[in-house]
Amino acid sequence: MRRTRVWDALQADGPQENVLVKGWVRTRRDAKGFSFLEINDGSCLQNLQAVVDHHLPGAALLGDMQTGAAVALRGQLAESPGKGQRFELQVGEMELLGRADPESYPLQKKRHSDEFLRSIPQIRARTNKYGALYRIRSELSWAIHSFFHQRAFAYVHTPIITGLDCEGAGELFRVTSLDLDRLPAPEEREARDFFGQKAFLTVSGQLTAEVLACALGNVYTFGPTFRAENSNTPRHAAEFWMLEPEMAFADLEENMDLAEDLIVSCISHIRRECAQDLDLFARFVDTSLYETLDLVTSGPFIRLPYAQAVDILQAAHRKKKFEYEPLYGQDLQTEHERYLVETAYRRPVIVHDYPQSIKPFYMRINEDRETVAAMDVLLPRVGEIVGGSQREERYDQLVARMEEMGLNTEEYSWYLDLRRYGTVPHSGFGLGFERLLMFITGVHNIRDVLPFPRTPQHLQF
Ligand code: 4AD
Ligand code: MG
């Protein structure tokens, strides 16, 4: 007999005979002659109320049908006389699939702190909040794929194991098959290692995405990304997901347009498709959530050259707004980014044309010879969500820049081939998937939007 998911049962057109539902007991409430079980199977936020008559054969099983237990219930889906639900399941037959010892089951009826739930990732997705969060996470992936599918971008897969440090920031995890307890002599290590050379987990799929963009036109890659930055902040994870579109023939302007359209479209998609789940966050996590989302979807983003951003920040600094003084030629601090977005403009801000000295080698140098065609999208609360640029497509410029930065141009010879053969202006960006999810749900710690977060000194399972 086919199982009906709670979501479908709750959406039914009318009463139905012989419905089989399987799920976990959220709560059991006993009344005279009856018990009420709230059943959740993960298909939606809402539970299905099941009513069990104590005269039912097998009603003795009820004793073990406590919070956390898995059950199979068969019965009649009927209009519910009670408040709060249209239908309830009047149980005719039931089976206990798996007990949950009430003495040790970690979830109780009360609300648990995020910190406590973080210590039990094997259980926390069974709470209302985390179940909703991971459903939204799933839908947000679909939102991204459908956005690019509609625009005919090719979805490409770029390697996770790489020999390169794309960003040049050196925050790499080394990959090796050598036995660290019995290492060969230093000069032999690379040759004796699995790939016969140094290998790392990727910090960005960009460079290989550029290769594919320079053949397929518009592409995107979307996958896990690894950074060994030792920053224990609520916005950094060692393993996170990055979305990276890359467009041949596109300049920085088009790149900014794409990032803006994408963010607005993702927010609208989640508001449309996950209204019930999102409501939980607007009620219990961030009561200004919808206002903040409206701020982003209700009008164009501000586009602000870096130099102008520093002017604004310095003026604010004179009124003692910041811990760190904003200086030309330095990266913006989180407090600076938040000031621009949350105070100066009260809108998302795209800062562009950063000084070359603080950006990676591949960004296109501007006419002024000092700035590059870079852009960062800043959102309220989460700060930087997107980093991208127009890429340097001119062979001589690129080589000069790489040499200046001490990169081995031979190692990048394949990358330079894109500039040797049919080079074209092209642009792309990286969007931090967890940061977008944090922004959309109001959740303020990246450890919570990742079901199994990896951060410094922390690796569960
Ligand atoms: O600004 P980033 O470093 O850009 C790049 O890696 C480019 N190669 C992307 C490209 O042009 N194709 O990273 C892009 C975004 C950041 O804006 C941020 O949202 C996210 O990735 N991000 C992180 N998210 C979570 N944890 C971390 N440790 C992150 N580091 C970057
Ligand atoms: Mg960045």
Side-chain angles (χ1 to χ4, degrees), residues 106-157:
L107 300 182
Q108 305 298 327
K109 207 168 173 201
K110 62 172 185 153
R111 262 171 87 183
H112 297 286
S113 72
D114 290 330
E115 290 74 18
F116 168 71
L117 292 171
R118 233 172 263 155
S119 72
I120 45 166
Q122 67 276 32
I123 301 289
R124 73 172 169 174
R126 295 190 194 180
T127 61
N128 281 343
K129 176 174 166 184
Y130 288 87
L133 190 50
Y134 302 142
R135 276 189 298 274
I136 295 175
R137 187 177 169 111
S138 165
E139 192 62 39
L140 188 57
S141 304
W142 281 110
I144 286 171
H145 285 299
S146 80
F147 176 90
F148 286 108
H149 191 247
Q150 276 165 19
R151 284 165 180 72
F153 277 58
Y155 173 34
V156 299
H157 301 125

Side-chain angles (χ1 to χ4, degrees), residues 359 376 384 386-387:
K359 290 291 183 187
D376 278 4
E384 180 194 331
V386 160

